Amino acid sequence: MRTVLARVSVALLLAGAATACGSDGTGGGGDAGAGGARVVVTTNILGDVVRTIVGDGATVDVIMPPGSNPHDFAPSAKQAAAMRQADVLVVNGRRFEEGLIDTIEAAEADGTVVVTATDAVPGDGARATDPHVFTDPVLMQAVVEHLETTLADDVPGLDTAAFHQRVDDYRAALADLDAEVTDTLAAVPADRRVLVTNHQVLGFFADRYGFDVLGVVIPGGTTLAEPSAADLVDLADRIAAAGVPAIFAETSAPARLADALAKEGADVEVVELYTESLGEPGSEAGTYLDMVRTNAERIAAALGGSG
């Protein structure tokens, strides 16, 4: 019952937010919310989260439209201006928005308050610089707590009982989502909990749900790098030796390298996941909660679960 109530609550919040906020990817929007405050968010994943918890407390504009590759997205002049003029600019951080870094720094230099979501999640080793915190819904609870504190402090008129209740509702929905993902992935046998991804994107997910990352097609945490031929051959050999049935690519980035690598192995499927961008509104990955749920279902189905 708690899961149903949480989903209904979040759905109602989303409906309210949609009527109060501007269009994705435009840097523009409708009338400002309470106190005329305006929040601008770089990625559409964080944009969905911020819109849900802010509700009608402020106008929330999202820079990147659905399907964007955050590693190479460059803002228009209008979007750059919106980032500089915002009361608060919410960013992912850890160089996730590679094409926006100069604009973010310019906005901060102009006096815009910049809130970095990944500041809520300290990391060790490679995780300390991994920007893909959002692949773990438990860590996203810490992100939401961070957003609650900073937005309440820095967005005029937002520090209200209604805002804090929306945050509590969303944190409950994230807890329910974690339980649901755990149940979905339970069908994947221990010896098939091996991930090969287009680039290093599912590290936090793997840590949370008991998977090993065998390798990545594109080295590092960005889609802008290029693997060597020797790297591809080595990874293909490891995939064949481990009997990996699927390679996971991003819907927001070209999968040509994953496709090429799949041809090196036997019966290796390339499965697209919504790892760095939401899908279109109303789609199976139109919200952050739906994105995580859909990815878990696809991983379970590809690796031998029931999906």
Side-chain angles (χ1 to χ4, degrees), residues 116-162:
T116 304
T118 49
D119 284 352
V121 182
D124 297 321
R127 295 290 176 269
T129 57
D130 188 343
H132 305 97
V133 169
F134 47 82
T135 61
D136 179 349
V138 175
L139 293 181
M140 282 299 284
Q141 294 180 54
V143 170
V144 169
E145 291 175 6
H146 176 55
L147 291 172
E148 178 181 22
T149 300
T150 54
L151 293 178
D153 287 344
D154 295 317
V155 178
L158 189 60
D159 189 9
T160 64

Side-chain angles (χ1 to χ4, degrees), residues 1-8 168-169 171-176 179:
M1 178 64 72
R2 180 167 173 252
T3 300
V4 173
L5 290 175
R7 288 186 188 172
V8 170
D168 288 345
D169 289 345
R171 289 177 58 201
L174 288 170
D176 289 338

Side-chain angles (χ1 to χ4, degrees), residues 191 194-197 200 212-219 227-247 261 264-266 268:
D191 62 350
V194 178
L195 300 173
V196 178
T197 56
Q200 188 62 267
D212 292 323
V213 178
L214 178 67
V216 297
V217 180
I218 303 173
S228 68
D231 290 337
L232 290 176
V233 170
D234 176 67
L235 183 54
D237 289 344
R238 284 187 284 140
I239 288 172
V244 173
I247 300 169
L261 185 56
E264 299 287 340
V268 179

Side-chain angles (χ1 to χ4, degrees), residues 16 91 122 155 167 173 185 216 240:
V91 306
V155 178
V167 170
L185 297 173
V216 297

